[in-house]
Amino acid sequence: MGGVTELIDATPPASLAVVSTAAARAATDVAAGAAARSGVQVLELTALDDLRAVQALFDSIWHPAPDNPPVTVELMRALTKAGNPLTGAYADGVLVGACVGFFAAPSGTALHSHVTGVVPAAQRRSVGRALKLHQRAWALRHGITRITWTFDPLVRRNAWFNLGRLAASPVEYLPDFYGPMEDTINASDQSDRLLTRWDLDSAAVSRAAAGEPWTVDLGAVRAAGAVAVVSTGPGEGPVVAPAPPGVPWLVAVPPDVEALRARDPALAAEWRVAVRTALGGALSAGAQVLGFAREGWYVVDGAAPGRAPEAGRAAR
């Protein structure tokens, strides 16, 4: 590591949201415990050598086109100079993950997490979770109570991580948000994203940070009359059904869309359209995503906007 430096943890101005010292301290302790269990040290980075290492790490994960990296050294330099958080996770002195965020609207209360990546060799060790919990603790220490980010709604493991292990909530479906992305992960597919909100001081998020994920009782939801509006049919393709009002809706995603893109781009594109139509249409109409079942289903409130079905966990 070259020149790792901690951002100054100054007292936030009065315009920022009020966060208790105890809550910020508890979040810091939880983040430290998560990093220790993952076998990493999470540090805030500002030095050029460290920022170059972050860009190299992201390039090794996404293999982007030369003219379209996830984030450049110059931009990271500007963001950190402006006081935004940029963190790296180190295992035995080697950078294995990083997270880049910046301040967002409403001013003084929100942060947008632009990109988080972990090298394949360090995945399945909860390094991404350690990075996110460090980001949460940083935000709460600075009076920030909300973090947003986007993710590909077809990637099942990310849906479970974001909605289950972190207890974040989808708020908007963004079709082809970034336009064409010529990298090895996204190439040949449209860049649909779910904009997701993480209410850092909510009870559900606090429980998830402490190790209790936001879970969906799929059996109870089905017993309440849930209808699969997108499911997996013969040949691994999506099957779309009408979405009746008044009952929960289930929207399936493929087990591994990244492998499917490489094997059968046309079939992956069918899934993109099916999930965009069902999930995007529901959110646009004011429905609420209640959670993500680990079996591979988004659970959507099929009742009137703002109402939640009785089955499953429905209130955050």
Side-chain angles (χ1 to χ4, degrees):
M1 290 175 283
V4 174
T5 57
E6 294 282 341
L7 294 176
I8 297 173
D9 190 7
T11 301
S15 61
L16 299 185
V18 176
V19 176
S20 73
T21 301
R25 185 181 299 117
T28 300
D29 291 342
V30 165
R37 287 188 294 274
S38 295
V40 296
Q41 183 181 19
V42 181
L43 299 169
E44 293 160 23
L45 311 179
T46 62
L48 274 173
D49 285 348
D50 296 321
L51 304 185
R52 293 188 184 104
V54 170
Q55 182 173 15
L57 176 114
F58 288 157
D59 286 350
S60 75
I61 295 170
W62 278 278
H63 303 285
D67 62 345
N68 191 30
V71 64
T72 64
V73 172
E74 292 81 1
L75 179 58
M76 288 187 284
R77 184 69 158 171
L79 290 174
T80 57
K81 181 61 177 177
N84 294 281
L86 192 159
T87 53
Y90 291 84
D92 299 322
V94 177
L95 184 69
V96 296
C99 183
V100 179
F102 47 82
F103 296 114
S107 178
T109 65
L111 194 74
H112 185 76
S113 187
H114 175 55
V115 58
T116 301
V118 176
V119 297
Q123 292 175 4
R124 301 187 183 278
R125 286 172 44 185
S126 296
V127 174
R129 183 170 181 269
L131 284 164
K132 296 302 293 183
L133 292 180
H134 186 282
Q135 190 179 58
R136 173 178 179 257
W138 185 96
L140 288 172
R141 290 198 305 269
H142 288 74
I144 293 170
T145 58
R146 177 177 296 179
I147 299 177
T148 59
W149 63 86
T150 65
F151 73 95
D152 185 340
L154 289 186
V155 180
R156 183 184 290 192
R157 68 179 185 279
N158 286 352
W160 164 244
F161 175 72
N162 291 319
L163 278 60
R165 297 196 69 200
L166 297 180
S169 302
V171 293
E172 186 178 1
Y173 194 98
L174 305 169
D176 203 21
F177 184 58
Y178 292 110
M181 299 179 71
E182 297 303 323
D183 59 57
T184 56
I185 293 177
N186 296 285
S188 81
D189 194 5
Q190 296 190 26
S191 58
D192 289 22
R193 294 293 182 265
L194 271 183
L195 178 64
T196 304
R197 185 185 70 234
W198 205 21
D199 294 317
L200 306 183
D201 54 354
S202 73
V205 170
S206 296
R207 287 194 298 266
E212 182 186 345
W214 179 265
T215 58
V216 172
D217 186 340
L218 188 61
V221 173
R222 287 188 185 279
V227 173
V229 298
V230 178
S231 58
T232 304
E236 300 183 31
V239 175
V240 179
V247 296
W249 304 340
L250 301 176
V251 179
V253 295
D256 186 347
V257 73
E258 291 162 331
L260 184 61
R261 285 183 191 128
R263 185 176 72 251
D264 192 337
L267 189 57
E270 288 183 30
W271 274 103
R272 175 69 69 202
V273 172
V275 173
R276 177 191 295 169
T277 301
L279 190 59
L283 285 170
S284 295
Q288 178 188 6
V289 176
L290 304 179
F292 187 82
R294 292 199 73 171
E295 296 87 344
W297 303 84
Y298 289 97
V299 180
V300 181
D301 176 13
R307 284 176 48 203
E310 295 299 322
R313 299 182 60 172
R316 300 191 181 196

